[in-house]
């Protein structure tokens, strides 16, 4: 199970690295100060692969600028990380980001629950500009959850799927068992409702083997 620990404070990276996650996600939209300086310092502090995410407010984050501002912020940072999370709304800048030698995590987060055909169309759209599609949805029923699990199982790999909200948070531990590439956790400060601590997720993963 590949575990991503999301952080919003550069000072926490040392402690997070002690848990040895597969990736550390830097939530640039939740960080204060000079982002480039902080990412450079984090790169020097750890060899754990890094994901840079500048999450729009529309998709659950705090960034409210346009796509060009997004690129001006993320572009110089890209060379210091391994993966950049690029929401569909910023996809025009994906080739430039890719040229920095990183993988593109093409993401879409919706508070809705797409139908199975819609999930397929979203996946196709995300794959048109990214290396790994990431689809985060809000299931409203067990049927919705079954649809997401079936989609994850059947989808071309790699694919990353996850859920919003607390009602079906257990799905965070199930989706990687059905083929989702990553599971997002925290190591003290959740960056989204329903996230498990990395310690808890490792226990779940061990018990579900
Ligand atoms: O897209 C995701 C998933 C996430 O929102 C979650 O629900 O764990 C956490 C975010 O930091 C990350 O960028």
């Amino acid at each position: 199970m590949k575990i991503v620990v999301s952080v919003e404070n550069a000072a926490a990276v040392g402690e997070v690295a002690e848990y040895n996650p597969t990736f550390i996600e830097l939530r640039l939209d939740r960080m204060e100060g000079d982002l480039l300086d902080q990412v450079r310092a984090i790169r020097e502090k750890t060899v754990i692969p890094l994901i840079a995410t500048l999450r729009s407010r529309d998709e659950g984050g705090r960034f409210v600028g346009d796509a060009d501002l997004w690129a001006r912020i993320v572009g110089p940072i890209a060379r210091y990380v391994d993966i950049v999370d690029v929401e569909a709304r910023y996809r025009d800048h994906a080739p430039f980001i890719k040229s920095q030698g990183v993988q593109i995590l093409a993401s879409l987060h919706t508070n809705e629950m797409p139908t199975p055909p819609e999930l397929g169309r979203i996946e196709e759209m995300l794959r048109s500009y990214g290396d790994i599609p990431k689809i985060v949805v809000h299931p409203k029923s067990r049927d919705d959850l079954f649809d997401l699990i079936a989609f994850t199982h059947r989808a071309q790999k790699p694919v990353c799927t996850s859920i919003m909200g607390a009602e079906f948070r257990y799905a965070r531990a199930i989706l990687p068992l059905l083929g989702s590439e990553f599971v997002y956790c925290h190591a003290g400060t959740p960056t989204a409702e329903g996230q498990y601590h990395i310690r808890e997720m490792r226990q779940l993963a061990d018990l579900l083997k």
Side-chain angles (χ1 to χ4, degrees):
M1 182 181 283
K2 295 179 183 175
I3 297 180
V4 181
V5 171
S6 306
V7 300
E8 59 182 38
N9 179 349
V13 169
E15 179 187 347
V16 169
E18 294 296 311
Y19 288 101
N20 196 27
T22 314
F23 294 94
I24 294 175
E25 179 195 39
L26 307 178
R27 279 294 300 270
L28 304 175
D29 58 293
R30 297 168 73 107
M31 293 166 66
E32 307 287 339
D34 187 313
L35 296 176
L36 181 56
D37 280 352
Q38 291 178 79
V39 173
R40 276 204 199 102
I42 291 168
R43 181 73 289 172
E44 288 171 13
K45 184 183 288 186
T46 181
V47 295
I48 294 176
L50 301 174
I51 300 173
T53 298
L54 184 57
R55 181 70 67 233
S56 71
R57 184 166 59 185
D58 288 350
E59 297 203 15
R62 297 180 181 170
F63 178 68
V64 292
D66 63 15
D68 289 342
L69 177 57
W70 179 93
R72 286 200 298 276
I73 293 169
V74 176
I77 286 171
R79 73 195 63 186
Y80 297 102
V81 301
D82 302 273
I83 298 177
V84 173
D85 183 309
V86 182
E87 292 172 23
R89 69 189 67 231
Y90 306 132
R91 63 179 173 275
D92 290 348
H93 293 286
F96 164 64
I97 297 296
K98 182 82 176 169
S99 73
Q100 305 303 301
V102 293
Q103 280 203 303
I104 301 290
L105 183 58
S107 69
L108 184 138
H109 307 69
T110 174
N111 201 36
E112 304 301 322
M113 180 62 210
T115 63
E118 287 168 338
L119 286 170
R121 287 192 288 273
I122 292 168
E123 177 198 0
E124 186 179 1
M125 179 272 293
L126 294 174
R127 287 194 196 280
S128 71
Y129 72 91
D131 299 294
I132 306 172
K134 176 173 76 168
I135 306 174
V136 181
V137 298
H138 195 157
K140 306 296 195 299
S141 67
R142 284 183 175 180
D143 284 338
D144 284 350
L145 187 56
F146 293 154
D147 285 345
L148 181 64
I149 290 170
F151 167 79
T152 304
H153 170 59
R154 296 187 183 119
Q156 174 190 335
K157 307 301 183 291
V159 68
C160 179
T161 56
S162 189
I163 57 105
M164 290 182 181
E167 184 179 6
F168 297 107
R169 69 187 297 242
Y170 56 82
R172 290 172 175 269
I174 295 171
L175 288 165
L177 304 178
L178 279 298
S180 182
E181 188 71 10
F182 308 131
V183 56
Y184 284 81
C185 296
H186 69 86
T189 309
T191 60
E193 184 182 21
Q195 278 186 342
Y196 289 91
H197 191 289
I198 183 172
R199 263 199 317 272
E200 296 170 318
M201 187 54 71
R202 287 217 163 107
Q203 288 170 340
L204 284 167
D206 288 345
L207 290 169
L208 290 172
K209 276 178 182 167

